[in-house]
Amino acid sequence: MSEAYERERQNNARLEELSAKVSSLRGVTVDIYDNARAQDVIDNTNDTFSSMSSQLKGSAGRLGRMAASGNKVAILKLSGIIVGAFLVLYYLLKLFF
């Protein structure tokens, strides 16, 4: 009878070890999943900034062509809009921070 109890005790000890390993593996799996999701967010953000950069380059090119054409009224209007937008953003940021 004591041999059966000893085997039962050994089985319980090994079962606890296995349970601890499974819990550890589950934690690693969750960490890998979270890391993969974070990497996806970073990739999407990188794509967004890349497209914004190309759009900004295109706008700067169009602005350069407009300035080279010598259209003074359009240049003054654009300068006024840029200065106005900067001032509005400055005061909004100053208001909230």
Side-chain angles (χ1 to χ4, degrees):
M1 260 331 228
S2 68
E3 188 176 319
Y5 288 123
E6 181 64 25
R7 286 188 180 169
E8 185 67 26
R9 188 185 63 75
Q10 288 176 353
N11 283 343
N12 287 340
R14 289 195 175 168
L15 185 60
E16 288 175 13
E17 290 174 10
L18 185 60
S19 175
K21 289 179 182 179
V22 167
S23 294
S24 176
L25 185 59
R26 183 179 296 136
V28 169
T29 303
V30 168
D31 289 344
I32 289 171
Y33 176 75
D34 290 342
N35 192 5
R37 289 188 66 189
Q39 186 66 34
D40 187 44
V41 169
I42 290 170
D43 288 342
N44 288 341
T45 303
N46 187 26
D47 292 343
T48 301
F49 279 114
S50 177
S51 94
M52 185 179 74
S53 173
S54 64
Q55 289 175 353
L56 188 60
K57 286 178 185 176
S59 295
R62 288 189 297 275
L63 179 62
R65 284 193 303 270
M66 182 186 69
S69 72
N71 190 351
K72 303 272 188 229
V73 176
I75 293 171
L76 287 175
K77 285 181 183 178
L78 183 62
S79 299
I81 290 171
I82 290 172
V83 169
F86 176 77
L87 290 174
V88 167
L89 287 174
Y90 175 76
Y91 286 116
L92 283 176
L93 288 174
K94 191 175 179 182
L95 180 69
F96 290 113
F97 296 107

XYZ file of all heavy atoms in Angstrom:
748
model
N 0.800 -1.197 0.000
C 0.000 0.000 0.000
C 0.849 1.271 0.000
O 0.488 2.237 -0.659
C -0.863 0.033 1.252
C -2.296 -0.361 1.208
S -3.170 -0.137 -0.276
C -4.565 0.642 0.318
N 1.933 1.283 0.729
C 2.761 2.484 0.815
C 3.392 2.810 -0.542
O 3.647 3.969 -0.843
C 3.836 2.330 1.883
O 4.779 1.345 1.486
N 3.641 1.759 -1.344
C 4.192 1.999 -2.680
C 3.174 2.746 -3.557
O 3.536 3.630 -4.328
C 4.568 0.674 -3.340
C 5.304 0.846 -4.628
C 5.747 -0.481 -5.219
O 6.192 -1.363 -4.478
O 5.619 -0.592 -6.455
N 1.901 2.440 -3.433
C 0.855 3.119 -4.198
C 0.751 4.590 -3.785
O 0.597 5.474 -4.625
C -0.490 2.426 -4.005
N 0.864 4.835 -2.460
C 0.824 6.221 -1.980
C 2.035 7.009 -2.470
O 1.929 8.178 -2.815
C 0.755 6.264 -0.449
C -0.584 5.827 0.095
C -0.674 4.777 0.997
C -1.760 6.480 -0.286
C -1.886 4.368 1.500
C -2.974 6.079 0.209
C -3.041 5.018 1.103
O -4.246 4.618 1.591
N 3.185 6.350 -2.505
C 4.402 7.009 -2.992
C 4.257 7.372 -4.468
O 4.624 8.469 -4.882
C 5.617 6.097 -2.779
C 6.929 6.691 -3.235
C 7.346 7.935 -2.467
O 6.925 8.119 -1.314
O 8.075 8.748 -3.063
N 3.738 6.471 -5.255
C 3.525 6.759 -6.679
C 2.502 7.872 -6.879
O 2.656 8.729 -7.756
C 3.088 5.505 -7.424
C 4.219 4.540 -7.620
C 3.823 3.426 -8.518
N 4.959 2.515 -8.666
C 4.885 1.344 -9.204
N 3.724 0.915 -9.687
N 5.944 0.579 -9.297
N 1.472 7.867 -6.064
C 0.456 8.922 -6.138
C 1.088 10.278 -5.802
O 0.821 11.289 -6.453
C -0.692 8.629 -5.176
C -1.853 9.602 -5.253
C -2.614 9.531 -6.568
O -2.622 8.472 -7.227
O -3.215 10.558 -6.930
N 1.938 10.320 -4.806
C 2.616 11.552 -4.416
C 3.537 12.029 -5.544
O 3.573 13.216 -5.876
C 3.432 11.314 -3.143
C 4.026 12.584 -2.555
C 4.914 12.307 -1.372
N 6.086 11.510 -1.722
C 7.163 11.976 -2.381
N 7.194 13.226 -2.776
N 8.180 11.186 -2.647
N 4.276 11.103 -6.165
C 5.143 11.445 -7.285
C 4.326 11.965 -8.472
O 4.712 12.944 -9.129
C 5.978 10.234 -7.719
C 7.080 9.864 -6.767
C 7.803 8.599 -7.212
O 7.390 7.944 -8.166
N 8.874 8.259 -6.503
N 3.201 11.314 -8.742
C 2.328 11.771 -9.834
C 1.810 13.184 -9.570
O 1.765 14.022 -10.482
C 1.157 10.812 -10.020
C 1.544 9.547 -10.744
O 2.590 9.493 -11.381
N 0.706 8.530 -10.638
N 1.418 13.449 -8.341
C 0.926 14.781 -7.989
C 2.033 15.834 -8.135
O 1.782 16.941 -8.621
C 0.364 14.796 -6.571
C -0.968 14.068 -6.480
O -1.650 13.869 -7.481
N -1.337 13.644 -5.273
N 3.251 15.471 -7.715
C 4.374 16.408 -7.837
C 4.664 16.697 -9.309
O 4.884 17.853 -9.697
C 5.610 15.840 -7.141
N 4.667 15.688 -10.141
C 4.923 15.887 -11.568
C 3.781 16.652 -12.238
O 4.011 17.449 -13.156
C 5.159 14.556 -12.258
C 6.483 13.963 -11.853
C 6.918 12.872 -12.745
N 8.251 12.439 -12.345
C 8.816 11.350 -12.780
N 8.171 10.586 -13.649
N 10.013 11.019 -12.380
N 2.574 16.405 -11.777
C 1.428 17.133 -12.311
C 1.541 18.620 -11.975
O 1.255 19.484 -12.821
C 0.125 16.558 -11.753
C -1.174 17.128 -12.302
C -1.257 16.892 -13.812
C -2.360 16.510 -11.612
N 1.993 18.945 -10.770
C 2.197 20.342 -10.395
C 3.305 20.976 -11.229
O 3.192 22.130 -11.655
C 2.512 20.446 -8.908
C 1.317 20.176 -8.018
C 1.680 20.175 -6.539
O 2.802 20.620 -6.200
O 0.855 19.725 -5.739
N 4.388 20.233 -11.478
C 5.474 20.741 -12.324
C 4.962 21.018 -13.738
O 5.278 22.051 -14.337
C 6.629 19.735 -12.380
C 7.413 19.593 -11.100
C 8.437 18.469 -11.182
O 8.663 17.927 -12.295
O 9.005 18.133 -10.134
N 4.188 20.075 -14.270
C 3.639 20.241 -15.609
C 2.691 21.433 -15.672
O 2.701 22.207 -16.635
C 2.923 18.960 -16.042
C 2.382 18.919 -17.457
C 3.516 19.096 -18.457
C 1.670 17.597 -17.699
N 1.894 21.605 -14.632
C 0.978 22.736 -14.579
C 1.749 24.056 -14.569
O 1.365 25.013 -15.237
C 0.095 22.625 -13.340
O -0.717 23.759 -13.203
N 2.844 24.114 -13.834
C 3.665 25.329 -13.786
C 4.278 25.614 -15.153
O 4.329 26.768 -15.609
C 4.757 25.184 -12.731
N 4.732 24.570 -15.852
C 5.312 24.759 -17.185
C 4.263 25.239 -18.181
O 4.538 26.110 -19.016
C 5.955 23.465 -17.678
C 7.231 23.121 -16.943
C 7.828 21.825 -17.429
C 9.086 21.475 -16.652
N 9.674 20.204 -17.076
N 3.057 24.698 -18.100
C 1.986 25.116 -19.001
C 1.615 26.578 -18.734
O 1.420 27.360 -19.671
C 0.753 24.190 -18.857
C -0.466 24.782 -19.540
C 1.058 22.811 -19.423
N 1.559 26.966 -17.470
C 1.257 28.358 -17.135
C 2.342 29.286 -17.663
O 2.045 30.367 -18.196
C 1.133 28.527 -15.621
O 0.025 27.819 -15.143
N 3.587 28.869 -17.529
C 4.696 29.671 -18.048
C 4.612 29.800 -19.563
O 4.817 30.881 -20.119
C 6.022 29.034 -17.645
O 7.097 29.730 -18.206
N 4.316 28.698 -20.233
C 4.183 28.713 -21.688
C 3.018 29.603 -22.121
O 3.122 30.341 -23.099
C 3.985 27.289 -22.213
C 3.937 27.107 -23.711
C 5.219 27.608 -24.349
C 3.714 25.648 -24.058
N 1.935 29.585 -21.380
C 0.791 30.444 -21.688
C 1.191 31.912 -21.559
O 0.827 32.748 -22.392
C -0.375 30.136 -20.751
C -1.619 30.940 -21.075
C -2.790 30.625 -20.152
N -3.190 29.246 -20.325
C -3.487 28.410 -19.330
N -3.424 28.837 -18.082
N -3.853 27.179 -19.564
N 1.958 32.244 -20.524
C 2.424 33.619 -20.349
C 3.309 34.068 -21.506
O 3.184 35.188 -22.000
N 4.207 33.187 -21.960
C 5.079 33.516 -23.085
C 4.247 33.716 -24.353
O 4.487 34.641 -25.133
C 6.147 32.419 -23.288
C 6.876 32.598 -24.593
C 7.125 32.414 -22.129
N 3.257 32.885 -24.555
C 2.395 32.997 -25.729
C 1.645 34.323 -25.737
O 1.554 34.997 -26.770
C 1.397 31.826 -25.772
O 2.119 30.601 -25.753
C 0.530 31.876 -26.996
N 1.128 34.725 -24.594
C 0.415 36.001 -24.489
C 1.374 37.157 -24.761
O 1.025 38.115 -25.463
C -0.253 36.135 -23.101
C -0.744 37.547 -22.858
C -1.403 35.145 -22.971
N 2.593 37.070 -24.232
C 3.586 38.129 -24.479
C 3.927 38.231 -25.961
O 4.067 39.332 -26.508
C 4.855 37.865 -23.669
C 4.655 38.087 -22.180
O 3.648 38.726 -21.800
O 5.505 37.605 -21.395
N 4.078 37.091 -26.630
C 4.378 37.097 -28.062
C 3.219 37.725 -28.838
O 3.427 38.533 -29.747
C 4.670 35.665 -28.564
C 6.010 35.187 -28.021
C 4.660 35.600 -30.089
C 6.289 33.722 -28.285
N 2.001 37.387 -28.470
C 0.823 37.951 -29.140
C 0.767 39.466 -28.951
O 0.536 40.210 -29.903
C -0.446 37.288 -28.594
C -1.716 37.866 -29.149
C -2.117 37.573 -30.451
C -2.517 38.708 -28.392
C -3.284 38.107 -30.972
C -3.675 39.238 -28.901
C -4.057 38.931 -30.194
O -5.206 39.473 -30.697
N 0.984 39.930 -27.714
C 0.961 41.372 -27.451
C 2.056 42.088 -28.232
O 1.833 43.180 -28.770
C 1.122 41.644 -25.955
C -0.089 41.218 -25.154
O -1.168 41.026 -25.756
O 0.037 41.067 -23.915
N 3.227 41.487 -28.297
C 4.334 42.088 -29.040
C 4.012 42.167 -30.532
O 4.316 43.164 -31.186
C 5.614 41.284 -28.806
C 6.840 41.995 -29.307
O 6.775 43.122 -29.755
N 7.968 41.330 -29.244
N 3.391 41.123 -31.061
C 3.024 41.125 -32.482
C 1.993 42.209 -32.773
O 2.071 42.894 -33.803
C 2.482 39.758 -32.888
N 1.041 42.395 -31.890
C 0.037 43.451 -32.087
C 0.680 44.830 -32.010
O 0.361 45.723 -32.793
C -1.076 43.338 -31.054
C -1.960 42.131 -31.306
C -3.149 42.119 -30.427
N -3.999 43.260 -30.776
C -5.041 43.622 -30.076
N -5.390 42.943 -29.008
N -5.776 44.652 -30.434
N 1.619 45.008 -31.079
C 2.315 46.291 -30.963
C 3.138 46.559 -32.217
O 3.201 47.692 -32.699
C 3.203 46.302 -29.722
N 3.759 45.526 -32.750
C 4.560 45.689 -33.967
C 3.666 46.086 -35.141
O 4.058 46.896 -35.969
C 5.311 44.397 -34.284
C 6.275 44.505 -35.427
C 7.435 45.428 -35.123
O 7.892 45.508 -34.015
N 7.899 46.135 -36.128
N 2.465 45.535 -35.196
C 1.522 45.882 -36.260
C 1.128 47.356 -36.169
O 1.036 48.046 -37.177
C 0.284 44.987 -36.173
C -0.660 45.178 -37.336
O -0.175 45.247 -38.482
O -1.884 45.265 -37.097
N 0.913 47.840 -34.950
C 0.577 49.253 -34.754
C 1.740 50.130 -35.203
O 1.547 51.155 -35.869
C 0.229 49.528 -33.268
C 0.138 51.020 -32.993
C -1.080 48.844 -32.904
N 2.966 49.721 -34.879
C 4.147 50.490 -35.290
C 4.255 50.507 -36.805
O 4.549 51.554 -37.407
C 5.416 49.903 -34.639
C 5.404 50.174 -33.132
C 6.670 50.495 -35.265
C 6.478 49.449 -32.369
N 4.021 49.367 -37.447
C 4.088 49.316 -38.909
C 3.040 50.226 -39.545
O 3.324 50.937 -40.513
C 3.901 47.885 -39.415
C 5.092 47.000 -39.126
O 6.184 47.548 -38.843
O 4.931 45.760 -39.182
N 1.827 50.221 -39.006
C 0.770 51.082 -39.544
C 1.121 52.561 -39.361
O 0.874 53.378 -40.251
C -0.567 50.779 -38.876
C -1.135 49.454 -39.314
O -0.754 48.907 -40.336
N -2.046 48.914 -38.527
N 1.700 52.900 -38.208
C 2.099 54.281 -37.964
C 3.202 54.692 -38.929
O 3.191 55.811 -39.461
C 2.577 54.437 -36.507
O 1.539 54.019 -35.637
C 2.933 55.880 -36.194
N 4.137 53.785 -39.169
C 5.226 54.068 -40.109
C 4.669 54.321 -41.511
O 5.104 55.235 -42.207
C 6.221 52.907 -40.122
C 7.449 53.214 -40.944
O 7.819 54.363 -41.123
N 8.087 52.170 -41.436
N 3.700 53.512 -41.930
C 3.079 53.705 -43.246
C 2.370 55.060 -43.328
O 2.435 55.757 -44.347
C 2.089 52.585 -43.544
C 2.758 51.239 -43.750
O 3.986 51.213 -43.986
O 2.052 50.209 -43.665
N 1.690 55.439 -42.255
C 0.982 56.714 -42.227
C 1.949 57.885 -42.366
O 1.721 58.807 -43.155
C 0.174 56.851 -40.921
O -0.750 55.765 -40.840
C -0.572 58.166 -40.863
N 3.042 57.835 -41.610
C 4.006 58.927 -41.689
C 4.715 58.944 -43.037
O 5.056 60.010 -43.550
C 5.025 58.842 -40.551
C 4.513 59.406 -39.256
C 4.314 58.583 -38.160
C 4.215 60.746 -39.142
C 3.844 59.086 -36.974
C 3.740 61.274 -37.955
C 3.555 60.441 -36.868
N 4.916 57.792 -43.618
C 5.553 57.735 -44.933
C 4.655 58.392 -45.983
O 5.123 59.166 -46.816
C 5.839 56.287 -45.314
O 6.381 56.212 -46.590
N 3.362 58.101 -45.941
C 2.445 58.712 -46.907
C 2.311 60.203 -46.656
O 2.232 60.990 -47.593
C 1.087 58.018 -46.872
O 0.182 58.650 -46.037
N 2.323 60.610 -45.382
C 2.252 62.034 -45.072
C 3.502 62.753 -45.592
O 3.411 63.861 -46.112
C 2.123 62.250 -43.563
C 1.931 63.701 -43.184
S 1.743 63.968 -41.421
C 3.414 63.734 -40.858
N 4.646 62.097 -45.476
C 5.893 62.687 -45.966
C 5.846 62.888 -47.477
O 6.250 63.942 -47.979
C 7.073 61.792 -45.591
O 8.251 62.252 -46.183
N 5.352 61.900 -48.206
C 5.279 62.046 -49.665
C 4.269 63.124 -50.059
O 4.496 63.881 -51.009
C 4.938 60.711 -50.323
O 3.659 60.279 -49.947
N 3.173 63.244 -49.337
C 2.201 64.295 -49.616
C 2.783 65.676 -49.326
O 2.544 66.631 -50.071
C 0.936 64.090 -48.781
C 0.102 62.914 -49.219
C -1.081 62.676 -48.289
O -1.213 63.297 -47.249
N -1.943 61.751 -48.686
N 3.562 65.771 -48.254
C 4.190 67.039 -47.916
C 5.218 67.444 -48.965
O 5.312 68.619 -49.331
C 4.841 66.944 -46.534
C 5.377 68.223 -45.934
C 4.263 69.241 -45.780
C 6.018 67.940 -44.598
N 5.967 66.469 -49.466
C 6.936 66.758 -50.529
C 6.226 67.252 -51.786
O 6.689 68.181 -52.452
C 7.769 65.525 -50.850
C 8.798 65.197 -49.798
C 9.561 63.943 -50.151
C 10.502 63.547 -49.034
N 11.183 62.271 -49.306
N 5.107 66.637 -52.134
C 4.331 67.075 -53.294
C 3.802 68.483 -53.118
O 3.853 69.302 -54.045
N 3.318 68.791 -51.913
C 2.812 70.139 -51.652
C 3.933 71.167 -51.726
O 3.747 72.266 -52.249
C 2.162 70.202 -50.264
O 1.027 69.368 -50.231
N 5.090 70.811 -51.199
C 6.227 71.730 -51.256
C 6.654 71.965 -52.703
O 7.010 73.090 -53.074
C 7.391 71.176 -50.438
N 6.594 70.930 -53.524
C 6.921 71.095 -54.946
C 5.951 72.020 -55.649
O 6.355 72.889 -56.440
N 4.667 71.854 -55.377
C 3.659 72.732 -55.982
C 3.832 74.162 -55.498
O 3.685 75.122 -56.272
C 2.260 72.214 -55.671
C 1.894 70.945 -56.425
C 0.434 70.583 -56.274
N 0.042 70.291 -54.902
C 0.171 69.104 -54.312
N 0.687 68.073 -54.979
N -0.225 68.916 -53.071
N 4.158 74.324 -54.217
C 4.386 75.668 -53.679
C 5.600 76.307 -54.347
O 5.577 77.494 -54.679
C 4.592 75.593 -52.166
C 4.868 76.903 -51.443
C 3.683 77.855 -51.598
C 5.163 76.659 -49.993
N 6.649 75.533 -54.576
C 7.842 76.051 -55.251
C 7.540 76.481 -56.675
O 8.012 77.528 -57.135
N 6.728 75.685 -57.382
C 6.349 76.055 -58.753
C 5.510 77.326 -58.761
O 5.658 78.188 -59.631
C 5.600 74.909 -59.420
C 6.495 73.768 -59.854
C 5.786 72.813 -60.789
N 4.556 72.253 -60.226
C 4.494 71.122 -59.520
N 5.584 70.422 -59.289
N 3.338 70.682 -59.062
N 4.614 77.464 -57.783
C 3.780 78.653 -57.715
C 4.646 79.881 -57.429
O 4.464 80.945 -58.039
C 2.713 78.511 -56.625
C 1.779 79.699 -56.552
S 0.636 79.640 -55.175
C 1.729 79.867 -53.804
N 5.604 79.735 -56.523
C 6.480 80.869 -56.200
C 7.349 81.234 -57.394
O 7.615 82.416 -57.638
C 7.347 80.527 -54.991
N 7.777 80.241 -58.157
C 8.616 80.507 -59.326
C 7.832 81.206 -60.434
O 8.402 81.941 -61.232
C 9.218 79.205 -59.853
N 6.518 80.986 -60.470
C 5.711 81.618 -61.524
C 5.526 83.107 -61.261
O 5.153 83.844 -62.154
C 4.361 80.913 -61.650
O 3.546 81.218 -60.530
N 5.755 83.543 -60.016
C 5.697 84.968 -59.713
C 4.312 85.485 -59.393
O 4.073 86.681 -59.477
N 3.377 84.643 -59.042
C 2.021 85.067 -58.688
C 2.046 85.638 -57.270
O 1.906 84.932 -56.283
C 1.066 83.876 -58.793
C -0.376 84.301 -58.680
O -0.679 85.441 -58.354
N -1.268 83.365 -58.949
N 2.232 86.935 -57.153
C 2.427 87.596 -55.856
C 1.189 87.515 -54.969
O 1.298 87.311 -53.767
C 2.788 89.070 -56.070
C 3.991 89.298 -56.924
C 5.231 89.291 -56.083
C 6.401 89.719 -56.959
N 7.507 88.835 -56.836
N 0.005 87.659 -55.525
C -1.222 87.619 -54.732
C -1.410 86.241 -54.105
O -1.734 86.124 -52.916
C -2.444 88.004 -55.599
C -3.734 87.865 -54.817
C -2.295 89.416 -56.135
N -1.172 85.214 -54.877
C -1.327 83.852 -54.351
C -0.308 83.579 -53.258
O -0.619 82.936 -52.248
C -1.179 82.834 -55.472
N 0.904 84.089 -53.434
C 1.944 83.885 -52.419
C 1.569 84.609 -51.131
O 1.718 84.069 -50.029
C 3.311 84.357 -52.954
C 3.762 83.457 -54.107
C 4.357 84.351 -51.855
C 4.982 83.942 -54.838
N 1.052 85.816 -51.225
C 0.643 86.562 -50.029
C -0.525 85.875 -49.323
O -0.564 85.799 -48.097
C 0.286 87.999 -50.397
C 1.467 88.907 -50.748
C 0.972 90.271 -51.220
C 2.383 89.062 -49.556
N -1.491 85.386 -50.096
C -2.629 84.664 -49.493
C -2.144 83.423 -48.756
O -2.555 83.149 -47.621
C -3.637 84.267 -50.565
C -4.487 85.384 -51.080
C -5.475 84.855 -52.119
C -6.310 85.950 -52.719
N -7.225 85.441 -53.752
N -1.280 82.663 -49.402
C -0.768 81.441 -48.780
C 0.033 81.765 -47.523
O -0.097 81.080 -46.501
C 0.094 80.660 -49.781
C 0.631 79.334 -49.275
C -0.519 78.388 -48.954
C 1.536 78.710 -50.310
N 0.840 82.811 -47.582
C 1.620 83.213 -46.402
C 0.696 83.613 -45.258
O 0.930 83.245 -44.099
C 2.542 84.375 -46.743
O 3.452 84.008 -47.746
N -0.360 84.334 -45.564
C -1.328 84.721 -44.544
C -2.018 83.523 -43.929
O -2.231 83.463 -42.712
N -2.378 82.553 -44.749
C -3.034 81.348 -44.239
C -2.090 80.572 -43.324
O -2.489 80.100 -42.251
C -3.529 80.468 -45.408
C -4.698 81.154 -46.118
C -3.927 79.081 -44.921
C -5.105 80.474 -47.400
N -0.833 80.451 -43.717
C 0.144 79.717 -42.908
C 0.370 80.416 -41.567
O 0.362 79.779 -40.507
C 1.465 79.538 -43.683
C 1.258 78.561 -44.834
C 2.575 79.042 -42.770
C 2.439 78.454 -45.778
N 0.550 81.722 -41.592
C 0.753 82.478 -40.352
C -0.490 82.383 -39.471
O -0.392 82.170 -38.253
C 1.122 83.945 -40.658
C 1.080 84.799 -39.399
C 2.488 84.021 -41.307
N -1.661 82.510 -40.052
C -2.903 82.395 -39.286
C -3.070 81.022 -38.659
O -3.441 80.907 -37.488
N -2.790 79.989 -39.419
C -2.909 78.632 -38.883
C -1.918 78.423 -37.751
O -2.242 77.798 -36.721
C -2.676 77.605 -39.988
N -0.711 78.939 -37.906
C 0.297 78.809 -36.850
C -0.167 79.509 -35.576
O -0.045 78.965 -34.479
C 1.637 79.381 -37.321
C 2.692 79.364 -36.259
C 3.345 78.188 -35.930
C 3.023 80.523 -35.574
C 4.316 78.162 -34.946
C 3.992 80.512 -34.590
C 4.634 79.327 -34.269
N -0.707 80.712 -35.704
C -1.172 81.451 -34.531
C -2.339 80.747 -33.848
O -2.403 80.681 -32.619
C -1.562 82.880 -34.922
C -0.399 83.801 -35.309
C -0.925 85.140 -35.811
C 0.540 83.990 -34.140
N -3.276 80.226 -34.629
C -4.414 79.498 -34.050
C -3.925 78.273 -33.286
O -4.343 78.019 -32.146
C -5.427 79.100 -35.151
C -6.437 78.098 -34.633
C -6.132 80.340 -35.675
N -3.024 77.506 -33.883
C -2.482 76.331 -33.196
C -1.720 76.726 -31.936
O -1.831 76.063 -30.902
C -1.572 75.529 -34.139
C -2.274 74.750 -35.230
C -1.249 74.127 -36.168
C -3.160 73.679 -34.630
N -0.945 77.801 -32.015
C -0.177 78.264 -30.862
C -1.106 78.607 -29.702
O -0.898 78.191 -28.568
C 0.665 79.477 -31.253
C 1.393 80.091 -30.095
C 2.531 79.492 -29.560
C 0.936 81.276 -29.509
C 3.199 80.061 -28.508
C 1.590 81.847 -28.436
C 2.726 81.228 -27.930
O 3.379 81.774 -26.866
N -2.162 79.359 -29.979
C -3.073 79.759 -28.913
C -3.904 78.582 -28.397
O -4.236 78.526 -27.201
C -3.962 80.925 -29.346
C -3.200 82.226 -29.389
C -3.007 82.913 -30.577
C -2.652 82.766 -28.230
C -2.299 84.099 -30.605
C -1.944 83.945 -28.252
C -1.764 84.614 -29.438
O -1.046 85.785 -29.466
N -4.251 77.657 -29.257
C -4.969 76.467 -28.785
C -4.094 75.627 -27.868
O -4.555 75.142 -26.832
C -5.448 75.633 -29.977
C -6.674 76.164 -30.716
C -6.966 75.280 -31.937
C -7.873 76.198 -29.797
N -2.841 75.437 -28.252
C -1.933 74.676 -27.400
C -1.674 75.391 -26.087
O -1.584 74.773 -25.030
C -0.623 74.400 -28.130
C -0.698 73.372 -29.254
C 0.637 73.281 -29.996
C -1.100 72.018 -28.716
N -1.558 76.713 -26.159
C -1.332 77.498 -24.940
C -2.557 77.425 -24.029
O -2.432 77.401 -22.802
C -1.042 78.942 -25.332
C -0.544 79.791 -24.216
C -0.158 81.176 -24.719
C 0.323 82.040 -23.581
N 0.650 83.380 -24.024
N -3.733 77.350 -24.608
C -4.975 77.284 -23.839
C -5.099 75.950 -23.102
O -5.513 75.907 -21.946
C -6.164 77.491 -24.776
C -7.562 77.448 -24.132
C -7.752 78.659 -23.242
C -8.618 77.425 -25.219
N -4.733 74.858 -23.755
C -4.912 73.532 -23.174
C -3.724 73.059 -22.338
O -3.850 72.142 -21.555
C -5.215 72.503 -24.253
C -6.587 72.685 -24.853
C -6.722 73.078 -26.166
C -7.728 72.488 -24.094
C -7.976 73.250 -26.725
C -8.983 72.668 -24.635
C -9.114 73.049 -25.942
N -2.557 73.641 -22.548
C -1.378 73.190 -21.792
C -0.881 74.317 -20.989
O -0.292 74.913 -20.546
C -0.298 72.632 -22.706
C -0.737 71.401 -23.431
C -1.020 71.429 -24.780
C -0.884 70.201 -22.759
C -1.411 70.289 -25.445
C -1.268 69.061 -23.423
C -1.541 69.115 -24.755
